[in-house]
Structure formats: structure tokens, C-alpha cells
Amino acid sequence: MAAHFGRRLRKGAATTAVAAAAVAALSASQAPGATGDDHGRQATAGASAPVPDPTGDDATGNSPYYTDLPPLNSPNPSPSPSAGTPVAQGAAEAGIPATVLDAYKKAEAELRASKPGCNLPWQLLAAIGKVESGQARGGEVDASGTTLRPILGPVLDGNGFALIKDTDHGAYDGNAQYDQAVGPMQFIPSTWAWAGRDGNGDGKKDPNNIYDAALAAGHYLCRGDRDLSQAADLHGAILGYNNSQDYLNTVLSWMEYYSKGTYSVPDGTGAAPGHRSDDGTPRTTPSTPAEPADPHQGKPGSKDQGGRPSPSPTPSKPGGGQDGGDPAPRPPGTPDPTTPTPTDTVDHLENAGTATAELTATAGDAFTGTISTRAETKAGAAVAKVRIRFTISGDTDATFTGGEDVATVATDSKGVAKAPALQAGEKTGDFKVTATVVGRSLKGVDYQATVTERPADTLAATTNGDTPLTCTPGGEFADQVQLKATYKGAVADKVAATATLIKSATDATENDKGPYFKDATTGKAVRTLTGLKTDAKGLLTLPKLYADDTTGTFLLRVTTPGGGTLTVQLTVAADGTATASQSPSPSASAGS
């Protein structure tokens, strides 16, 4: 192992100086270098001091990480060695295992498409993967990207580490008493529950899979409309992953290093780091792998946040192995795991003033109301620093800001947690947002929300101006009916419309004779069309109209949510003098 790190800087003054220099250089440029991926971004100079993620829901639970820094010399891409061949000293750090590198680049590509304003570089994912797991232990993954052995951080039992009691019933970390960071990107189970993604398309969200974990990390870093080409947003995102200034410096150093050049090496031949922020305590590797989550229960990122309990391995002890050793002395200020945490003192949750009337929005719009929940003791006192999970459920495509359907927020000094803003999708109807305490089985608080249809209060015909449509019995109308929808004078886009051939101005039931549309599949006559929508300009062009052998005058009526109505009068005559006229008034009528 020592041979791999002979040219690397160690802890101490030199390490700090080099890390600071790397951070300064990266913050000034904020653009990956000669990697073949020209991101073309420049950050503003003099960025504000970095601040951690405001939600209090860090990815790793501030678990230990690898502190090794990159070499001073820039990497020089070299030919990939064959499988099983040791990588030459000095070139090792620039090589990233092929599957791991592919996962980072695929995650970057997906984020460029789904969140282009985030400007996520794959080199940031590579830097985090380096300090969290040494690129999945040098690429110890199978063909699908799943680690060959579980990668688990220390037990977060408050004994030298953070205190996070079990949140997943041991589904991901095999520990039903305390949480542990899991997988190559070291997500704690409570964060993976909402941040998890399916990066390799196998229908599962597995924190032990580098494709899933890299994509989840990318979405996690891009939360809250961040622009990672800006130093302040970049620093805040990294500190949100692990709230440590040393962690920030280390990640930025590796990001800068990888931005200057890297190359692919065979899986399993990557260089493995050896120095950790907890002074060398190894990542725990249980003798019996953690039991995987039931694919039908507790699927991370799904609506069902449950999980199947599984036996917990004996907690590892800092400074000792999985199977014994005296626990290290508890550092000053470290919480006693037997002392109740704020989460333990919560007796119930209360609605903190959210009114149902505030939770209604038109499709595609942001909700103006805010969902707030208060954590209280049995005596009604506020409980601060408790993580509240907000989960959207129901047949809806509404999300929180950033596109998530689950969000975790820490309560403030008044015991109140405010969910991120809700964004309505295109599906209309009711859905539910449930607030629960992370790590407890207390009854949650439900909030009902509603998405209403996009409205249009005025429909105006645009078909050929005043030129009448013409048709003979058994023929087809030469032109199609087109209309424009507006709401309060503004263009009304994506508005649903219904077009019906009606019997008369006073009888809006469907006619059984006269003009008709053709079913797109069967070609049969239909006289009611639903599922129509206006385009981005508020325009809607109806399909062609046909006439049967019946002559006379007929009515076509188009309606929209919001009161918009357009009535079209059609006359079919044997001599070919059929005409059509339109009336946009909501109360329009025409003789039959």
C-alpha cells in the first residue's frame, strides 16, 4: 500500500498549504481543464465563504473519509494496464476504474439534460468518490457496477462519531440499531431513502451500485437550483455532503487534479487510499454481507419508505475491529449514546399553521402556500434539530423544488420545519404530503393538496378569417377549425379542451347525425373529442370534419376549464354551399 502513496503529501503543514493552494486555484477558475469535456464556465471572483447545506440532511452523516491528497505533479494519461497488472507508481492516482469512471460520466450527462443550470462536472463526482471510498476500493465492482463487497462506514452510535439511530430497519446497512454510511458514495440510509436513483436502468435503487450512487450524488449536489460553476454553490454543495472544511479542501483538491487529466484503468486495478479522517479506522466490512432491502418494501426514493428488519451485526468500535476491541475514549463534546437525542424527545408532530386553502395550484404552477410542521414534546414544548421527512404520495407528478418527491428538513429553534416549495405538475387532482420524524415511528401529519386544470376564459376562432367552410353530403370540410385560447387576456397554453357536435344551442348532448370526426385508429365516426390541448401559443387545430348524407345546419361546440366556449355553426348543402360561422361568447348559441 505504501508504494502507492510514496509521492503523496501527508498530514501536516505541507498538506494544509497544498490543499489551500488547490482550493484557491479551483475557486478562481471553476472550470475543468484539459479533460476533453469543455464545460466553458467561469466563476465569479471573491466568492462568499462556503456554508453547509441548510436542510441539515447531509448525505454521509459526516462519516469519516479518506484524507490522502493528490500528487503535486499533474497527471499524465498513460495506456491502461491489463487486468491484474499493478499500476506504475506516480500514474496510479490519475487512473479511475473503467466502470466507476463510466458511472460518473453517465451521471454528468443525465444531469446536463435534467438540470442543465447545475453545471455538474463529473470530476466533482470522481473527487467525492475518491475521498468516500477510494473509487469503490479501486474498482471492486461487477459488470453492473455493484460493489463486490459491502462498503460500510463506522457505526454512527455517538461513540467518536455522530449519533444517528436506525432509520431503515437495517435494510441497507444491516444494522437495526444505528445507521451506517453505505456504498461507494457513502449515503446514510435516511438520505438514500429520498435521494436514491436508478442509474443503470435495472429498476432498482441500490446504494451499493456505483451507477445508482453516482447519479444520486449528482442530484443531491444539484439541489435547490444550485449552479456548481459558482464557487459559493459548489462549496455549499460539498459541505452539504460532509460538513467539514477539511473535507471541502480535500474534495476540491481532487476535483482540480482530475480536471487536469485522467484515464481509465481496468476494474480492480485502481489505487486504494489509506489515510482517513478518523486516524485510520478502516471501513467496516461485515463477515456476513448486509441483507439487501426487500425489492417490494422500503424501496429507496419510492413512496413506501418502510423496510424489512434484518439482524444487526455487532457494532464496530472505533479503534477496534468488527468483532471486538476496547472502545476508544469518547472525545470531549461527543454525545453519550445513552442520552436521549432531540429526536428521542419528540412525542408528536403538529401542523404549524398550513391552511388547506393555500395548497391549491394550477397545473404547471408553483404552490403559494408553505407546508410547515412543528415537533413537540409530550408537554407541548418545541424540539429543535429534529429531521422531518416530507413525502408526496398519490397519483400526481407534483414535486418539491428540485424535482424530488421526498425532502428532509431540520426543525429550527421553534421546532418548526418548512418543506421546500411545492411545484404542480400536469396531472390534476388531489394528492397528499406527509410529515414524519426521521428515525421514529410516530404518527405523521398529512396535508392535502390539489392541482387544478389550466384555465381559459376566452376562445376565439382563427380559421380562414371570415371564409366559410364548404362541404357536400358525404364529403369533407376543406379546412380545419382552429382556435386560440386566452386567460385574462394572456395566452393560455396546455389547456385541455373538449369538442362536441351537439344537437342544438339548448341541448348540448352529442348529436347522432350530421358532421363528424374520424377515430384516428378505427376510422369510425366520432362526434366528441377529449384530451385536446392548446399549444405553447394557445392555439388548437381540430382534426378534419366530415359530413354524412344528412343535409342541414349543425353545431360544433368547444369548451375549456375556466369558462371558455366557442360554438361553430355548420351547414351542409347538396349544392356545395355549406358554410361555417363561429361564436366565441361563453353564452353563445346558434340555431339548428
Side-chain angles (χ1 to χ4, degrees), residues 445-469:
V445 177
D446 292 334
Y447 301 83
Q448 298 297 325
T450 303
V451 178
T452 59
E453 294 182 300
R454 295 171 183 258
D457 55 15
T458 303
L459 301 179
T462 62
T463 306
N464 294 334
D466 296 327
T467 304
L469 299 175

Side-chain angles (χ1 to χ4, degrees), residues 149-425:
R149 296 176 291 152
I151 302 175
L152 298 177
V155 176
L156 299 176
D157 59 1
N159 189 9
F161 305 106
L163 174 58
I164 302 180
K165 293 188 177 181
D166 176 65
T167 62
D168 68 328
H169 306 293
Y172 298 114
D173 54 15
N175 190 333
Q177 186 175 8
Y178 299 100
D179 272 351
Q180 294 175 251
V182 182
M185 302 302 276
Q186 288 291 280
F187 278 95
I188 55 174
S190 61
T191 301
W192 183 261
W194 62 264
R197 291 294 191 281
D198 177 14
N200 62 352
D202 64 357
K204 298 183 294 184
K205 299 173 183 178
D206 182 3
N208 299 294
N209 182 279
I210 185 58
Y211 287 98
D212 295 359
L215 183 58
H219 278 277
Y220 180 92
L221 294 164
C222 286
R223 288 185 302 161
D225 298 323
R226 287 188 178 120
D227 178 0
L228 299 183
S229 68
Q230 303 300 313
D233 282 359
L234 174 67
H235 295 178
I238 297 171
L239 286 171
Y241 213 91
N242 193 316
N243 189 15
S244 160
Q245 186 67 40
D246 288 339
Y247 181 87
L248 171 67
N249 293 345
T250 305
V251 169
L252 290 176
S253 297
W254 280 107
M255 181 180 171
E256 174 73 0
Y257 182 75
Y258 287 137
S259 295
K260 292 178 179 178
T262 188
Y263 59 95
S264 172
V265 299
D267 292 343
T269 66
H275 296 83
R276 291 167 43 78
S277 60
D278 56 343
D279 296 322
T281 302
R283 298 283 188 188
T284 60
T285 303
S287 56
T288 301
E291 182 180 0
D294 187 322
H296 303 293
Q297 291 190 37
K299 186 177 181 182
S302 67
K303 305 298 184 183
D304 175 12
Q305 297 296 326
R308 181 177 62 191
S310 59
S312 171
T314 302
S316 63
K317 300 176 181 179
Q322 181 78 13
D323 55 356
D326 293 332
R330 186 177 298 115
T334 301
D336 185 337
T338 63
T339 302
T341 65
T343 299
D344 294 329
T345 67
V346 177
D347 176 75
H348 60 274
L349 297 178
E350 294 285 349
N351 182 346
T354 302
T356 302
E358 298 175 345
L359 299 181
T360 299
T362 301
D365 290 348
F367 285 76
T368 56
T370 300
I371 294 178
S372 298
T373 301
R374 176 180 160 94
E376 297 182 354
T377 65
K378 190 172 184 178
V383 185
K385 299 181 180 179
V386 174
R387 293 193 296 171
I388 305 299
R389 178 178 295 145
F390 297 93
T391 305
I392 296 173
S393 62
D395 185 17
T396 182
D397 55 355
T399 64
F400 294 113
T401 300
E404 313 290 349
D405 60 6
V406 181
T408 306
V409 181
T411 56
D412 60 18
S413 60
K414 297 180 180 179
V416 175
K418 294 183 178 180
L422 280 171
Q423 174 67 41

